[in-house]
DNA sequence: TACGGCATGTAATCGGTTACATGATTTA
DNA sequence: TAAATCATGTAACCGATTACATGCCGTA
């Protein structure tokens, strides 16, 4: 075992950084932020400060290299290393942890017996939000070419949003 | 404004505690843990330590009362107060924050271009997990009577899991 | 009455989030 | 050239999670 690996345990954000560097080439933290925003961040948001701190950590462990511009904005461009690629692939090969859903509206519905009159408004808001999201995801060309991984992500988002929408709509019908 | 309210800002877990105390009556932290486990926790898990610390905080602000047994396990039973009920209802009436989804499997799929051969295994695991979950949720009588809020929660979980399952299954078919 | 597991609680770490701070480009 | 916004980064707080620690209770 080389001394460069096995330092800090990696978290989800680590693999997001590694994955984006692998998929879209060397980037600054700002580039990462932009790429997250239009892809992963849509269903797994990070505050931007994580995208500044995390690559720095990865550099310490040798999973990325950092080169800082000597003039101008002196920004840092990160590049994935072979060790980084290995870590990424190893993570990809592990079984995935179970999914979590955090839906405050659902929570309120669950406790709505304490004031049943809120259900209609809750559902109406949820329906409007989901319709907006679905419209966004249905933009032609959003996910890229058929069969690409970004396209699959969008399709997945769409099907889950539609199921969610159907639920809240049926709730509206049941108690108008 | 009385001095007892308006202290700490409340978080999601606060309302889960208040909601459970309102719905299921006075409880100990352990009772809360059990109730979370079979309901809310199914889609919004908390570590048990939160269910010990949070009611304590709520007691400080007068949203619950705490009575400690003087013998035996000396456990603390919490009861929601009128102020607590008011806080709960006020939260219920506010518009809900948008839902978040955290799905590590989806993340791996998104980055799977770095090693495409993992997709089949990923999908297979996901399908198996989702089938197990769905079987669990389909247990007759799990959600309680038709039209109850727990029942609606279960129905919602079912429809989302089914949409998720359909997605991963179609992925398996596309690339066997 | 001894033992094992259930129940109860607390302490400390670790990471996410918020907030601040500054410099570089662009545009009016 | 001044103002506004974009880009870049850092620091501190706060809460969630992990881990520990202990005591009660049922059972053998």
């Amino acid at each position: 075992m080389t001394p460069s690996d096995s330092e800090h345990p990696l978290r989800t954000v680590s693999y997001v950084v590694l994955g984006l560097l692998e998929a879209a080439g060397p980037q600054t933290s700002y580039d990462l932020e932009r790429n997250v925003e239009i892809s992963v961040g849509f269903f797994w948001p990070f505050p931007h400060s994580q995208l500044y701190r995390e690559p720095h950590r990865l550099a310490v462990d040798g999973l990325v290299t950092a080169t800082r511009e000597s003039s101008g904005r002196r920004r840092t461009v990160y590049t994935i290393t072979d060790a980084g690629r290995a870590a990424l692939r190893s993570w990809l090969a592990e079984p995935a942890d179970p999914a979590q859903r955090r839906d405050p509206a659902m929570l309120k519905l669950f406790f709505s017996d304490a004031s049943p009159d809120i259900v209609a408004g809750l559902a109406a808001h949820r329906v409007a939000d989901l319709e907006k999201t679905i419209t966004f995801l249905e933009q032609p060309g959003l996910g890229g070419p058929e069969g690409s991984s970004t396209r699959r992500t969008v399709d997945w988002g769409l099907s889950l949003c539609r199921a969610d929408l159907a639920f809240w709509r049926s709730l509206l019908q049941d108690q108008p």
Side-chain angles (χ1 to χ4, degrees), chain A residues 7 21 35 51 55 58 62 65-66 72 74 78 80 87 104-106 108 116 126 131-132 136 138 140 144 147 150 157:
Chain A
E7 306 309 339
L21 290 177
N35 277 324
L51 300 176
L58 295 175
T65 58
R74 300 185 52 73
Y78 298 98
I80 191 170
M106 206 49 224
K108 293 191 179 191
R126 205 75 192 91
E131 281 173 345
K132 199 190 297 181
F136 175 84
E138 278 174 341
T150 52

Side-chain angles (χ1 to χ4, degrees), chain A residues 26-30 52-53 55-56 59 64-79:
Chain A
Q27 293 164 73
T28 67
S29 287
Y30 189 74
Y52 281 86
R53 189 170 40 171
H56 180 69
V64 306
T65 58
T67 64
R68 187 145 196 182
E69 293 176 347
S70 53
S71 67
R73 297 206 157 164
R74 300 185 52 73
R75 57 193 178 171
T76 306
V77 177
Y78 298 98
T79 307

